[in-house]
Amino acid sequence: MKTRFVLIETSHAGNVGATARAMKTMGFDDLVLVRPRWANVLRREETIQRASGALDVLANARIVETLDEALEGLTHLCATAMTPRDFGPPTVTPRPHLEVLSKTEHSVGFLFGSERFGMQNDDVYRCHAALSIPTNPGFGSLNLGAAVQLIAYEWRLALGGFPVRAATAEPRYADA
């Protein structure tokens, strides 16, 4: 299923690298950056270091000026939002929404806002759902790379996951 991760106005180069690594780990490779702080962010040393081997994701990534360009060809958009909005798409937890979405023919985009400002309301309102990762109510702030990793993991699970390669014997559990 076509899947794209879109970072809007990213301000930290390391988070772009961490995003590439998270995506590659879960088998995704379509990354688009909308107006990142650094025009050369895909070639910055910090980006490359944090990508930790996901250089092919960085090499295939695109930088665009508008969100419209980033969303071209996508039919279902998921915002990521820590703060629920009074208007716009329903706020849902990732797992149940992605399980249903995985059974459709949509091309899917996951949108992530700026590290400093999150997503603008107008960008969230364009989406079909606002995914909210269940976090500590007293401190729900996730690093961008961590948020991408969680959404990529949940999406990969919904799509069927990857087999786990057993390298050791079955675990033994203590007797009750």
Side-chain angles (χ1 to χ4, degrees):
M1 181 175 291
K2 180 176 184 174
T3 301
R4 181 175 302 149
F5 288 78
V6 178
L7 306 184
I8 303 169
E9 297 182 6
T10 307
S11 60
H12 299 290
N15 285 333
V16 174
T19 292
R21 182 179 185 178
M23 290 173 57
K24 184 172 179 86
T25 300
M26 293 296 121
F28 303 111
D29 61 7
D30 190 355
L31 173 62
V32 178
L33 309 175
V34 180
R35 293 182 309 280
R37 178 179 181 191
W38 310 99
N40 68 343
V41 70
L42 297 171
R43 296 180 309 281
R44 291 180 71 87
E45 187 62 31
E46 184 180 2
T47 306
I48 293 166
Q49 289 176 354
R50 293 279 307 275
S52 190
L55 301 180
D56 55 331
V57 176
L58 293 177
N60 292 326
R62 295 183 297 125
I63 295 177
V64 298
E65 279 300 309
T66 68
L67 186 54
D68 283 339
E69 292 172 271
L71 302 180
E72 190 173 309
L74 301 176
T75 60
H76 188 90
L77 305 176
C78 296
T80 53
M82 185 175 81
T83 307
R85 306 313 204 264
D86 291 334
F87 300 99
T91 300
V92 296
T93 56
R95 189 164 291 175
H97 182 74
L98 298 180
E99 285 175 357
V100 172
L101 184 59
S102 71
K103 294 167 180 41
T104 70
E105 296 296 321
H106 285 291
S107 53
V108 179
F110 296 105
L111 282 62
F112 297 83
S114 161
E115 298 94 322
R116 294 181 287 171
F117 309 114
M119 285 188 67
Q120 294 184 21
N121 286 339
D122 287 344
D123 296 339
V124 174
Y125 296 162
R126 298 174 72 152
C127 296
H128 299 93
L131 302 178
S132 181
I133 297 167
T135 57
N136 175 352
F139 188 76
S141 177
L142 281 171
N143 171 272
L144 176 58
V148 170
Q149 183 69 72
L150 284 167
I151 296 300
Y153 171 77
E154 290 291 341
W155 185 227
R156 178 52 61 201
L157 280 182
L159 293 174
F162 291 121
V164 174
R165 294 180 290 155
T168 58
E170 290 292 318
R172 294 186 323 153
Y173 300 96
D175 295 332

